Amino acid sequence: MSPTNPARPLPTAPISLHTALASFSALWSPRIVTHVNDYDVRVAKVEGEHIWHVHDDTDEFFLVLEGELYIALRESDGERTVLLPQGSVFTVPRGTEHKPYAPSGAAILMFEPTGTPTVGDRHDGIPDHVDATTGHALDL
């Protein structure tokens, strides 16, 4: 494991996730709250459907902060959907095609290796409403 990248300084004070989420309105376009080793900790507001995509080399961790999130999964034995109510976590295994969606909207926290695109390594195209696939720096 490599140490935290000195070019990415860590915050020197606690960060309120509520404040972080209130600082932007773009959907499916995460903000990077902090870093843990070579991983970004990202928050995002989501509503409606994302796209089917796959992360070939990394798992994807989700924590639902507000609302509820559904994740459709295409697995070797067929499709299934998991429901994550507020406060729930779920990890999509690497190589699993999935599509998150939130009919009523949600706020989520994700752990992903720095630079990992939120649309995965294989997808059908980036929706117009997604303005950053690797996250924006949080501007507080």
Short mmCIF file of all heavy atoms in Angstrom, two decimals, residues 19-89:
data_model
loop_
_atom_site.label_atom_id
_atom_site.label_comp_id
_atom_site.label_asym_id
_atom_site.label_seq_id
_atom_site.Cartn_x
_atom_site.Cartn_y
_atom_site.Cartn_z
N THR A 19 -23.10 19.72 5.07
CA THR A 19 -22.60 20.94 4.42
C THR A 19 -22.05 20.63 3.04
O THR A 19 -22.28 21.37 2.08
CB THR A 19 -21.52 21.60 5.30
OG1 THR A 19 -22.10 21.93 6.57
CG2 THR A 19 -20.98 22.86 4.65
N ALA A 20 -21.31 19.52 2.93
CA ALA A 20 -20.76 19.13 1.63
C ALA A 20 -21.88 18.91 0.61
O ALA A 20 -21.82 19.42 -0.51
CB ALA A 20 -19.92 17.86 1.78
N LEU A 21 -22.93 18.19 1.01
CA LEU A 21 -24.03 17.93 0.09
C LEU A 21 -24.81 19.20 -0.25
O LEU A 21 -25.33 19.34 -1.36
CB LEU A 21 -24.97 16.88 0.68
CG LEU A 21 -24.41 15.46 0.66
CD1 LEU A 21 -25.18 14.56 1.63
CD2 LEU A 21 -24.45 14.89 -0.75
N ALA A 22 -24.88 20.14 0.67
CA ALA A 22 -25.60 21.39 0.42
C ALA A 22 -24.83 22.32 -0.52
O ALA A 22 -25.40 23.28 -1.04
CB ALA A 22 -25.88 22.10 1.74
N SER A 23 -23.57 22.01 -0.78
CA SER A 23 -22.73 22.91 -1.57
C SER A 23 -22.86 22.72 -3.08
O SER A 23 -22.25 23.45 -3.86
CB SER A 23 -21.25 22.76 -1.16
OG SER A 23 -20.73 21.52 -1.63
N PHE A 24 -23.66 21.74 -3.53
CA PHE A 24 -23.82 21.54 -4.96
C PHE A 24 -25.20 20.94 -5.25
O PHE A 24 -25.86 20.44 -4.35
CB PHE A 24 -22.71 20.63 -5.52
CG PHE A 24 -22.74 19.21 -5.00
CD1 PHE A 24 -23.35 18.21 -5.73
CD2 PHE A 24 -22.14 18.88 -3.79
CE1 PHE A 24 -23.38 16.90 -5.27
CE2 PHE A 24 -22.15 17.58 -3.32
CZ PHE A 24 -22.78 16.58 -4.06
N SER A 25 -25.61 21.00 -6.51
CA SER A 25 -26.92 20.46 -6.88
C SER A 25 -26.86 19.46 -8.04
O SER A 25 -27.85 18.79 -8.31
CB SER A 25 -27.88 21.61 -7.25
OG SER A 25 -27.36 22.33 -8.34
N ALA A 26 -25.74 19.35 -8.71
CA ALA A 26 -25.62 18.45 -9.87
C ALA A 26 -25.86 17.00 -9.46
O ALA A 26 -25.37 16.55 -8.43
CB ALA A 26 -24.24 18.59 -10.50
N LEU A 27 -26.63 16.29 -10.28
CA LEU A 27 -26.95 14.89 -10.01
C LEU A 27 -25.92 13.97 -10.68
O LEU A 27 -25.43 14.26 -11.77
CB LEU A 27 -28.34 14.55 -10.54
CG LEU A 27 -29.49 15.31 -9.89
CD1 LEU A 27 -30.81 14.97 -10.59
CD2 LEU A 27 -29.58 15.00 -8.40
N TRP A 28 -25.63 12.87 -10.01
CA TRP A 28 -24.73 11.83 -10.50
C TRP A 28 -23.33 12.37 -10.80
O TRP A 28 -22.62 11.83 -11.64
CB TRP A 28 -25.32 11.13 -11.74
CG TRP A 28 -26.61 10.45 -11.48
CD1 TRP A 28 -27.85 10.89 -11.86
CD2 TRP A 28 -26.83 9.22 -10.77
NE1 TRP A 28 -28.81 10.01 -11.43
CE2 TRP A 28 -28.21 8.97 -10.76
CE3 TRP A 28 -25.97 8.31 -10.15
CZ2 TRP A 28 -28.77 7.85 -10.16
CZ3 TRP A 28 -26.53 7.19 -9.54
CH2 TRP A 28 -27.92 6.97 -9.56
N SER A 29 -22.95 13.47 -10.18
CA SER A 29 -21.65 14.10 -10.39
C SER A 29 -20.99 14.32 -9.03
O SER A 29 -21.16 15.36 -8.40
CB SER A 29 -21.83 15.43 -11.12
OG SER A 29 -22.44 15.21 -12.39
N PRO A 30 -20.24 13.32 -8.55
CA PRO A 30 -19.76 13.33 -7.17
C PRO A 30 -18.75 14.43 -6.85
O PRO A 30 -18.06 14.95 -7.74
CB PRO A 30 -19.11 11.96 -7.02
CG PRO A 30 -18.78 11.54 -8.40
CD PRO A 30 -19.80 12.15 -9.30
N ARG A 31 -18.68 14.72 -5.56
CA ARG A 31 -17.68 15.63 -5.01
C ARG A 31 -16.75 14.82 -4.13
O ARG A 31 -17.18 13.94 -3.39
CB ARG A 31 -18.33 16.75 -4.19
CG ARG A 31 -19.29 17.65 -4.96
CD ARG A 31 -18.66 18.19 -6.23
NE ARG A 31 -19.43 19.21 -6.89
CZ ARG A 31 -20.19 19.02 -7.97
NH1 ARG A 31 -20.34 17.81 -8.46
NH2 ARG A 31 -20.83 20.02 -8.54
N ILE A 32 -15.47 15.11 -4.21
CA ILE A 32 -14.47 14.39 -3.42
C ILE A 32 -14.35 15.09 -2.07
O ILE A 32 -13.95 16.25 -1.99
CB ILE A 32 -13.12 14.35 -4.14
CG1 ILE A 32 -13.29 13.64 -5.49
CG2 ILE A 32 -12.07 13.66 -3.28
CD1 ILE A 32 -12.10 13.80 -6.42
N VAL A 33 -14.72 14.38 -1.01
CA VAL A 33 -14.72 14.94 0.34
C VAL A 33 -13.33 14.84 0.96
O VAL A 33 -12.86 15.76 1.60
CB VAL A 33 -15.76 14.21 1.21
CG1 VAL A 33 -15.73 14.71 2.64
CG2 VAL A 33 -17.15 14.35 0.63
N THR A 34 -12.67 13.71 0.78
CA THR A 34 -11.33 13.49 1.32
C THR A 34 -10.73 12.28 0.61
O THR A 34 -11.32 11.73 -0.32
CB THR A 34 -11.38 13.29 2.86
OG1 THR A 34 -10.04 13.31 3.38
CG2 THR A 34 -12.08 12.01 3.25
N HIS A 35 -9.55 11.90 1.05
CA HIS A 35 -8.86 10.74 0.48
C HIS A 35 -8.45 9.80 1.61
O HIS A 35 -8.17 10.24 2.72
CB HIS A 35 -7.58 11.18 -0.26
CG HIS A 35 -7.82 12.26 -1.26
ND1 HIS A 35 -8.34 12.03 -2.51
CD2 HIS A 35 -7.63 13.60 -1.18
CE1 HIS A 35 -8.45 13.17 -3.15
NE2 HIS A 35 -8.03 14.14 -2.37
N VAL A 36 -8.43 8.53 1.32
CA VAL A 36 -7.91 7.52 2.24
C VAL A 36 -6.92 6.70 1.43
O VAL A 36 -7.33 5.96 0.52
CB VAL A 36 -9.04 6.62 2.80
CG1 VAL A 36 -8.46 5.55 3.71
CG2 VAL A 36 -10.08 7.44 3.53
N ASN A 37 -5.65 6.86 1.71
CA ASN A 37 -4.61 6.23 0.91
C ASN A 37 -4.82 6.57 -0.56
O ASN A 37 -4.85 7.73 -0.90
CB ASN A 37 -4.53 4.73 1.20
CG ASN A 37 -4.16 4.46 2.64
OD1 ASN A 37 -3.25 5.07 3.17
ND2 ASN A 37 -4.89 3.57 3.28
N ASP A 38 -5.01 5.60 -1.41
CA ASP A 38 -5.20 5.86 -2.85
C ASP A 38 -6.66 5.87 -3.26
O ASP A 38 -6.99 5.65 -4.42
CB ASP A 38 -4.42 4.83 -3.67
CG ASP A 38 -2.92 4.95 -3.46
OD1 ASP A 38 -2.44 6.07 -3.20
OD2 ASP A 38 -2.23 3.93 -3.57
N TYR A 39 -7.56 6.10 -2.30
CA TYR A 39 -8.99 6.10 -2.56
C TYR A 39 -9.58 7.48 -2.35
O TYR A 39 -9.16 8.22 -1.45
CB TYR A 39 -9.71 5.13 -1.62
CG TYR A 39 -9.60 3.69 -2.06
CD1 TYR A 39 -8.40 3.00 -1.92
CD2 TYR A 39 -10.68 3.03 -2.61
CE1 TYR A 39 -8.29 1.68 -2.33
CE2 TYR A 39 -10.59 1.71 -3.02
CZ TYR A 39 -9.39 1.05 -2.89
OH TYR A 39 -9.28 -0.25 -3.31
N ASP A 40 -10.58 7.83 -3.17
CA ASP A 40 -11.38 9.02 -2.96
C ASP A 40 -12.59 8.63 -2.11
O ASP A 40 -13.17 7.56 -2.31
CB ASP A 40 -11.93 9.57 -4.27
CG ASP A 40 -10.87 10.17 -5.17
OD1 ASP A 40 -9.79 10.52 -4.67
OD2 ASP A 40 -11.14 10.28 -6.39
N VAL A 41 -12.97 9.52 -1.21
CA VAL A 41 -14.25 9.42 -0.51
C VAL A 41 -15.12 10.48 -1.19
O VAL A 41 -14.82 11.67 -1.14
CB VAL A 41 -14.11 9.69 1.00
CG1 VAL A 41 -15.47 9.62 1.67
CG2 VAL A 41 -13.12 8.71 1.63
N ARG A 42 -16.16 10.02 -1.86
CA ARG A 42 -17.00 10.90 -2.67
C ARG A 42 -18.43 10.91 -2.15
O ARG A 42 -18.92 9.89 -1.67
CB ARG A 42 -17.04 10.40 -4.12
CG ARG A 42 -15.69 10.29 -4.78
CD ARG A 42 -15.82 9.62 -6.14
NE ARG A 42 -14.52 9.50 -6.79
CZ ARG A 42 -14.33 8.89 -7.96
NH1 ARG A 42 -15.36 8.34 -8.59
NH2 ARG A 42 -13.13 8.82 -8.47
N VAL A 43 -19.07 12.07 -2.26
CA VAL A 43 -20.51 12.16 -1.99
C VAL A 43 -21.19 12.59 -3.29
O VAL A 43 -20.60 13.30 -4.12
CB VAL A 43 -20.85 13.14 -0.85
CG1 VAL A 43 -20.34 12.61 0.48
CG2 VAL A 43 -20.36 14.55 -1.12
N ALA A 44 -22.42 12.15 -3.46
CA ALA A 44 -23.17 12.51 -4.66
C ALA A 44 -24.65 12.59 -4.34
O ALA A 44 -25.14 11.90 -3.44
CB ALA A 44 -22.95 11.47 -5.76
N LYS A 45 -25.32 13.44 -5.09
CA LYS A 45 -26.77 13.49 -5.08
C LYS A 45 -27.21 12.72 -6.32
O LYS A 45 -26.63 12.88 -7.41
CB LYS A 45 -27.27 14.93 -5.17
CG LYS A 45 -26.95 15.74 -3.94
CD LYS A 45 -27.46 17.15 -4.09
CE LYS A 45 -27.15 17.94 -2.83
NZ LYS A 45 -27.62 19.32 -2.95
N VAL A 46 -28.18 11.85 -6.15
CA VAL A 46 -28.64 11.03 -7.27
C VAL A 46 -30.15 11.04 -7.32
O VAL A 46 -30.81 11.14 -6.29
CB VAL A 46 -28.10 9.59 -7.15
CG1 VAL A 46 -26.57 9.58 -7.18
CG2 VAL A 46 -28.57 8.91 -5.87
N GLU A 47 -30.68 10.98 -8.51
CA GLU A 47 -32.12 10.87 -8.71
C GLU A 47 -32.35 10.34 -10.10
O GLU A 47 -31.62 10.67 -11.03
CB GLU A 47 -32.81 12.22 -8.54
CG GLU A 47 -34.32 12.12 -8.56
CD GLU A 47 -35.02 13.41 -8.18
OE1 GLU A 47 -34.36 14.36 -7.74
OE2 GLU A 47 -36.25 13.45 -8.34
N GLY A 48 -33.37 9.49 -10.24
CA GLY A 48 -33.61 8.85 -11.53
C GLY A 48 -32.61 7.73 -11.74
O GLY A 48 -32.07 7.18 -10.78
N GLU A 49 -32.36 7.42 -13.01
CA GLU A 49 -31.48 6.30 -13.33
C GLU A 49 -30.10 6.75 -13.76
O GLU A 49 -29.94 7.77 -14.41
CB GLU A 49 -32.10 5.46 -14.46
CG GLU A 49 -33.38 4.79 -14.04
CD GLU A 49 -33.88 3.78 -15.06
OE1 GLU A 49 -33.21 3.58 -16.10
OE2 GLU A 49 -34.92 3.18 -14.80
N HIS A 50 -29.10 5.97 -13.38
CA HIS A 50 -27.75 6.13 -13.90
C HIS A 50 -27.66 5.23 -15.13
O HIS A 50 -28.68 4.97 -15.77
CB HIS A 50 -26.73 5.75 -12.80
CG HIS A 50 -25.35 6.27 -13.04
ND1 HIS A 50 -25.08 7.49 -13.62
CD2 HIS A 50 -24.14 5.73 -12.77
CE1 HIS A 50 -23.78 7.68 -13.69
NE2 HIS A 50 -23.18 6.61 -13.19
N ILE A 51 -26.51 4.71 -15.47
CA ILE A 51 -26.38 3.84 -16.64
C ILE A 51 -25.82 2.49 -16.21
O ILE A 51 -25.18 2.37 -15.17
CB ILE A 51 -25.45 4.47 -17.71
CG1 ILE A 51 -24.04 4.70 -17.14
CG2 ILE A 51 -26.04 5.75 -18.24
CD1 ILE A 51 -23.01 5.11 -18.16
N TRP A 52 -26.08 1.47 -17.02
CA TRP A 52 -25.43 0.19 -16.80
C TRP A 52 -23.95 0.37 -17.06
O TRP A 52 -23.55 0.98 -18.06
CB TRP A 52 -25.99 -0.86 -17.78
CG TRP A 52 -27.33 -1.39 -17.40
CD1 TRP A 52 -28.53 -1.04 -17.95
CD2 TRP A 52 -27.59 -2.38 -16.39
NE1 TRP A 52 -29.53 -1.75 -17.33
CE2 TRP A 52 -28.99 -2.58 -16.37
CE3 TRP A 52 -26.80 -3.10 -15.50
CZ2 TRP A 52 -29.61 -3.48 -15.52
CZ3 TRP A 52 -27.41 -4.00 -14.65
CH2 TRP A 52 -28.80 -4.18 -14.65
N HIS A 53 -23.13 -0.12 -16.13
CA HIS A 53 -21.68 -0.02 -16.30
C HIS A 53 -20.98 -1.07 -15.47
O HIS A 53 -21.58 -1.73 -14.63
CB HIS A 53 -21.18 1.39 -15.96
CG HIS A 53 -21.37 1.77 -14.52
ND1 HIS A 53 -22.58 2.19 -14.00
CD2 HIS A 53 -20.49 1.80 -13.48
CE1 HIS A 53 -22.43 2.46 -12.71
NE2 HIS A 53 -21.17 2.22 -12.36
N VAL A 54 -19.67 -1.21 -15.72
CA VAL A 54 -18.84 -2.21 -15.04
C VAL A 54 -17.53 -1.57 -14.63
O VAL A 54 -16.95 -0.78 -15.38
CB VAL A 54 -18.52 -3.39 -16.01
CG1 VAL A 54 -17.57 -4.38 -15.35
CG2 VAL A 54 -19.77 -4.07 -16.47
N HIS A 55 -17.06 -1.90 -13.45
CA HIS A 55 -15.70 -1.56 -13.02
C HIS A 55 -14.91 -2.87 -13.07
O HIS A 55 -15.14 -3.77 -12.26
CB HIS A 55 -15.70 -0.99 -11.60
CG HIS A 55 -16.51 0.27 -11.47
ND1 HIS A 55 -16.03 1.51 -11.84
CD2 HIS A 55 -17.78 0.47 -11.04
CE1 HIS A 55 -16.96 2.42 -11.63
NE2 HIS A 55 -18.03 1.81 -11.15
N ASP A 56 -14.03 -2.98 -14.05
CA ASP A 56 -13.31 -4.24 -14.26
C ASP A 56 -12.34 -4.58 -13.14
O ASP A 56 -12.15 -5.75 -12.83
CB ASP A 56 -12.55 -4.20 -15.59
CG ASP A 56 -13.48 -4.21 -16.79
OD1 ASP A 56 -14.53 -4.89 -16.73
OD2 ASP A 56 -13.16 -3.53 -17.79
N ASP A 57 -11.72 -3.55 -12.54
CA ASP A 57 -10.61 -3.81 -11.61
C ASP A 57 -10.85 -3.39 -10.17
O ASP A 57 -9.93 -3.44 -9.36
CB ASP A 57 -9.35 -3.12 -12.14
CG ASP A 57 -8.94 -3.63 -13.50
OD1 ASP A 57 -9.02 -4.86 -13.72
OD2 ASP A 57 -8.59 -2.81 -14.36
N THR A 58 -12.05 -2.94 -9.85
CA THR A 58 -12.28 -2.49 -8.48
C THR A 58 -13.73 -2.73 -8.05
O THR A 58 -14.64 -2.67 -8.88
CB THR A 58 -11.92 -1.00 -8.31
OG1 THR A 58 -12.04 -0.65 -6.92
CG2 THR A 58 -12.83 -0.10 -9.12
N ASP A 59 -13.91 -3.02 -6.78
CA ASP A 59 -15.23 -3.08 -6.19
C ASP A 59 -15.74 -1.63 -6.05
O ASP A 59 -14.95 -0.69 -6.10
CB ASP A 59 -15.19 -3.70 -4.79
CG ASP A 59 -14.60 -5.11 -4.77
OD1 ASP A 59 -14.74 -5.83 -5.77
OD2 ASP A 59 -14.02 -5.47 -3.74
N GLU A 60 -17.04 -1.47 -5.85
CA GLU A 60 -17.60 -0.13 -5.64
C GLU A 60 -18.47 -0.16 -4.38
O GLU A 60 -19.43 -0.92 -4.30
CB GLU A 60 -18.43 0.30 -6.85
CG GLU A 60 -18.89 1.74 -6.75
CD GLU A 60 -19.48 2.25 -8.05
OE1 GLU A 60 -19.85 1.45 -8.93
OE2 GLU A 60 -19.59 3.48 -8.18
N PHE A 61 -18.11 0.67 -3.41
CA PHE A 61 -18.77 0.73 -2.11
C PHE A 61 -19.78 1.88 -2.10
O PHE A 61 -19.44 3.01 -2.48
CB PHE A 61 -17.72 0.95 -1.02
CG PHE A 61 -18.30 1.24 0.35
CD1 PHE A 61 -18.62 0.21 1.22
CD2 PHE A 61 -18.53 2.55 0.76
CE1 PHE A 61 -19.15 0.48 2.47
CE2 PHE A 61 -19.06 2.83 2.01
CZ PHE A 61 -19.37 1.79 2.87
N PHE A 62 -20.99 1.61 -1.63
CA PHE A 62 -22.04 2.62 -1.51
C PHE A 62 -22.54 2.67 -0.07
O PHE A 62 -22.78 1.63 0.55
CB PHE A 62 -23.26 2.26 -2.38
CG PHE A 62 -23.03 2.30 -3.85
CD1 PHE A 62 -22.58 1.17 -4.52
CD2 PHE A 62 -23.28 3.45 -4.58
CE1 PHE A 62 -22.39 1.19 -5.89
CE2 PHE A 62 -23.09 3.47 -5.95
CZ PHE A 62 -22.64 2.34 -6.61
N LEU A 63 -22.73 3.88 0.46
CA LEU A 63 -23.39 4.13 1.73
C LEU A 63 -24.48 5.15 1.45
O LEU A 63 -24.21 6.23 0.90
CB LEU A 63 -22.41 4.69 2.77
CG LEU A 63 -23.01 5.36 4.02
CD1 LEU A 63 -23.82 4.37 4.84
CD2 LEU A 63 -21.93 6.01 4.85
N VAL A 64 -25.72 4.84 1.81
CA VAL A 64 -26.83 5.75 1.57
C VAL A 64 -26.97 6.67 2.78
O VAL A 64 -27.24 6.22 3.89
CB VAL A 64 -28.14 4.98 1.29
CG1 VAL A 64 -29.29 5.96 1.10
CG2 VAL A 64 -27.97 4.10 0.07
N LEU A 65 -26.77 7.96 2.54
CA LEU A 65 -26.85 8.96 3.60
C LEU A 65 -28.27 9.48 3.78
O LEU A 65 -28.69 9.77 4.89
CB LEU A 65 -25.92 10.13 3.28
CG LEU A 65 -24.44 9.78 3.11
CD1 LEU A 65 -23.67 10.97 2.55
CD2 LEU A 65 -23.86 9.34 4.45
N GLU A 66 -28.98 9.64 2.66
CA GLU A 66 -30.37 10.13 2.68
C GLU A 66 -31.14 9.40 1.59
O GLU A 66 -30.60 9.09 0.53
CB GLU A 66 -30.42 11.64 2.37
CG GLU A 66 -29.67 12.52 3.34
CD GLU A 66 -29.59 13.98 2.86
OE1 GLU A 66 -30.22 14.34 1.84
OE2 GLU A 66 -28.89 14.76 3.51
N GLY A 67 -32.41 9.15 1.84
CA GLY A 67 -33.26 8.52 0.84
C GLY A 67 -32.98 7.03 0.73
O GLY A 67 -32.54 6.39 1.68
N GLU A 68 -33.25 6.49 -0.46
CA GLU A 68 -32.94 5.09 -0.71
C GLU A 68 -32.45 4.93 -2.14
O GLU A 68 -32.86 5.64 -3.04
CB GLU A 68 -34.11 4.16 -0.40
CG GLU A 68 -35.41 4.50 -1.06
CD GLU A 68 -36.55 3.58 -0.60
OE1 GLU A 68 -36.52 3.06 0.53
OE2 GLU A 68 -37.47 3.40 -1.41
N LEU A 69 -31.57 3.96 -2.30
CA LEU A 69 -30.92 3.70 -3.58
C LEU A 69 -31.18 2.25 -3.97
O LEU A 69 -31.12 1.35 -3.13
CB LEU A 69 -29.40 3.92 -3.44
CG LEU A 69 -28.56 3.69 -4.69
CD1 LEU A 69 -28.80 4.81 -5.71
CD2 LEU A 69 -27.08 3.62 -4.32
N TYR A 70 -31.49 2.05 -5.23
CA TYR A 70 -31.60 0.70 -5.79
C TYR A 70 -30.37 0.46 -6.66
O TYR A 70 -29.89 1.39 -7.32
CB TYR A 70 -32.84 0.59 -6.68
CG TYR A 70 -34.15 0.72 -5.96
CD1 TYR A 70 -34.68 1.97 -5.65
CD2 TYR A 70 -34.87 -0.41 -5.58
CE1 TYR A 70 -35.89 2.10 -4.99
CE2 TYR A 70 -36.08 -0.30 -4.92
CZ TYR A 70 -36.59 0.97 -4.63
OH TYR A 70 -37.78 1.08 -3.98
N ILE A 71 -29.90 -0.76 -6.67
CA ILE A 71 -28.81 -1.12 -7.58
C ILE A 71 -29.22 -2.40 -8.30
O ILE A 71 -29.39 -3.45 -7.67
CB ILE A 71 -27.47 -1.32 -6.85
CG1 ILE A 71 -27.09 -0.05 -6.08
CG2 ILE A 71 -26.37 -1.68 -7.86
CD1 ILE A 71 -25.81 -0.19 -5.25
N ALA A 72 -29.43 -2.28 -9.62
CA ALA A 72 -29.71 -3.45 -10.43
C ALA A 72 -28.37 -4.10 -10.77
O ALA A 72 -27.39 -3.41 -11.07
CB ALA A 72 -30.44 -3.03 -11.71
N LEU A 73 -28.33 -5.42 -10.69
CA LEU A 73 -27.10 -6.18 -10.92
C LEU A 73 -27.35 -7.25 -11.97
O LEU A 73 -28.38 -7.93 -11.94
CB LEU A 73 -26.65 -6.87 -9.62
CG LEU A 73 -26.44 -5.97 -8.41
CD1 LEU A 73 -26.48 -6.78 -7.13
CD2 LEU A 73 -25.12 -5.25 -8.55
N ARG A 74 -26.41 -7.39 -12.89
CA ARG A 74 -26.43 -8.50 -13.84
C ARG A 74 -25.35 -9.47 -13.42
O ARG A 74 -24.15 -9.17 -13.50
CB ARG A 74 -26.19 -8.00 -15.26
CG ARG A 74 -27.35 -7.20 -15.80
CD ARG A 74 -27.12 -6.76 -17.23
NE ARG A 74 -28.29 -6.06 -17.74
CZ ARG A 74 -28.24 -5.13 -18.69
NH1 ARG A 74 -27.08 -4.80 -19.24
NH2 ARG A 74 -29.34 -4.55 -19.09
N GLU A 75 -25.78 -10.62 -12.93
CA GLU A 75 -24.86 -11.62 -12.41
C GLU A 75 -24.94 -12.88 -13.27
O GLU A 75 -25.82 -12.99 -14.12
CB GLU A 75 -25.18 -11.91 -10.95
CG GLU A 75 -25.08 -10.66 -10.09
CD GLU A 75 -25.59 -10.84 -8.68
OE1 GLU A 75 -26.72 -11.33 -8.51
OE2 GLU A 75 -24.87 -10.46 -7.75
N SER A 76 -24.07 -13.82 -13.02
CA SER A 76 -24.02 -15.03 -13.84
C SER A 76 -25.33 -15.81 -13.82
O SER A 76 -25.67 -16.48 -14.79
CB SER A 76 -22.87 -15.93 -13.38
OG SER A 76 -23.05 -16.30 -12.03
N ASP A 77 -26.09 -15.70 -12.75
CA ASP A 77 -27.36 -16.43 -12.66
C ASP A 77 -28.57 -15.55 -12.95
O ASP A 77 -29.70 -15.91 -12.64
CB ASP A 77 -27.50 -17.10 -11.29
CG ASP A 77 -27.40 -16.12 -10.13
OD1 ASP A 77 -27.03 -14.94 -10.36
OD2 ASP A 77 -27.69 -16.52 -8.99
N GLY A 78 -28.36 -14.37 -13.54
CA GLY A 78 -29.47 -13.50 -13.93
C GLY A 78 -29.39 -12.13 -13.30
O GLY A 78 -28.39 -11.75 -12.69
N GLU A 79 -30.47 -11.37 -13.46
CA GLU A 79 -30.55 -10.02 -12.90
C GLU A 79 -31.25 -10.03 -11.55
O GLU A 79 -32.16 -10.83 -11.33
CB GLU A 79 -31.34 -9.09 -13.84
CG GLU A 79 -30.50 -8.46 -14.88
CD GLU A 79 -31.24 -7.37 -15.68
OE1 GLU A 79 -32.13 -6.68 -15.13
OE2 GLU A 79 -30.89 -7.22 -16.85
N ARG A 80 -30.80 -9.13 -10.69
CA ARG A 80 -31.50 -8.90 -9.42
C ARG A 80 -31.29 -7.44 -9.04
O ARG A 80 -30.41 -6.76 -9.58
CB ARG A 80 -31.01 -9.82 -8.32
CG ARG A 80 -29.61 -9.51 -7.80
CD ARG A 80 -29.20 -10.47 -6.68
NE ARG A 80 -27.83 -10.26 -6.28
CZ ARG A 80 -27.46 -9.80 -5.09
NH1 ARG A 80 -28.38 -9.51 -4.17
NH2 ARG A 80 -26.18 -9.64 -4.78
N THR A 81 -32.12 -6.97 -8.14
CA THR A 81 -32.01 -5.60 -7.66
C THR A 81 -31.91 -5.62 -6.15
O THR A 81 -32.66 -6.33 -5.48
CB THR A 81 -33.23 -4.76 -8.10
OG1 THR A 81 -33.27 -4.73 -9.53
CG2 THR A 81 -33.15 -3.34 -7.57
N VAL A 82 -30.98 -4.82 -5.62
CA VAL A 82 -30.87 -4.66 -4.17
C VAL A 82 -31.38 -3.27 -3.81
O VAL A 82 -31.19 -2.32 -4.56
CB VAL A 82 -29.43 -4.87 -3.64
CG1 VAL A 82 -28.97 -6.30 -3.86
CG2 VAL A 82 -28.45 -3.92 -4.29
N LEU A 83 -32.06 -3.18 -2.69
CA LEU A 83 -32.57 -1.91 -2.17
C LEU A 83 -31.72 -1.53 -0.97
O LEU A 83 -31.56 -2.33 -0.05
CB LEU A 83 -34.03 -2.04 -1.75
CG LEU A 83 -34.59 -0.89 -0.90
CD1 LEU A 83 -34.54 0.43 -1.65
CD2 LEU A 83 -36.02 -1.22 -0.47
N LEU A 84 -31.19 -0.32 -0.99
CA LEU A 84 -30.41 0.20 0.12
C LEU A 84 -31.18 1.35 0.76
O LEU A 84 -31.21 2.46 0.22
CB LEU A 84 -29.05 0.73 -0.35
CG LEU A 84 -27.99 -0.27 -0.72
CD1 LEU A 84 -28.30 -0.96 -2.03
CD2 LEU A 84 -26.65 0.41 -0.81
N PRO A 85 -31.83 1.11 1.90
CA PRO A 85 -32.47 2.22 2.60
C PRO A 85 -31.41 3.11 3.26
O PRO A 85 -30.23 2.73 3.36
CB PRO A 85 -33.34 1.53 3.65
CG PRO A 85 -32.84 0.14 3.75
CD PRO A 85 -32.06 -0.17 2.53
N GLN A 86 -31.82 4.25 3.73
CA GLN A 86 -30.91 5.18 4.41
C GLN A 86 -30.14 4.44 5.49
O GLN A 86 -30.69 3.66 6.25
CB GLN A 86 -31.72 6.32 5.01
CG GLN A 86 -30.85 7.37 5.70
CD GLN A 86 -31.68 8.56 6.12
OE1 GLN A 86 -32.59 8.97 5.43
NE2 GLN A 86 -31.33 9.12 7.26
N GLY A 87 -28.83 4.68 5.52
CA GLY A 87 -27.96 4.07 6.52
C GLY A 87 -27.40 2.73 6.10
O GLY A 87 -26.60 2.14 6.83
N SER A 88 -27.76 2.23 4.93
CA SER A 88 -27.29 0.92 4.46
C SER A 88 -26.04 1.05 3.60
O SER A 88 -25.82 2.06 2.94
CB SER A 88 -28.37 0.23 3.63
OG SER A 88 -29.48 -0.05 4.42
N VAL A 89 -25.26 -0.02 3.60
CA VAL A 89 -24.08 -0.10 2.75
C VAL A 89 -24.19 -1.33 1.85
O VAL A 89 -24.86 -2.30 2.18
CB VAL A 89 -22.76 -0.17 3.56
CG1 VAL A 89 -22.60 1.06 4.43
CG2 VAL A 89 -22.67 -1.43 4.38
#
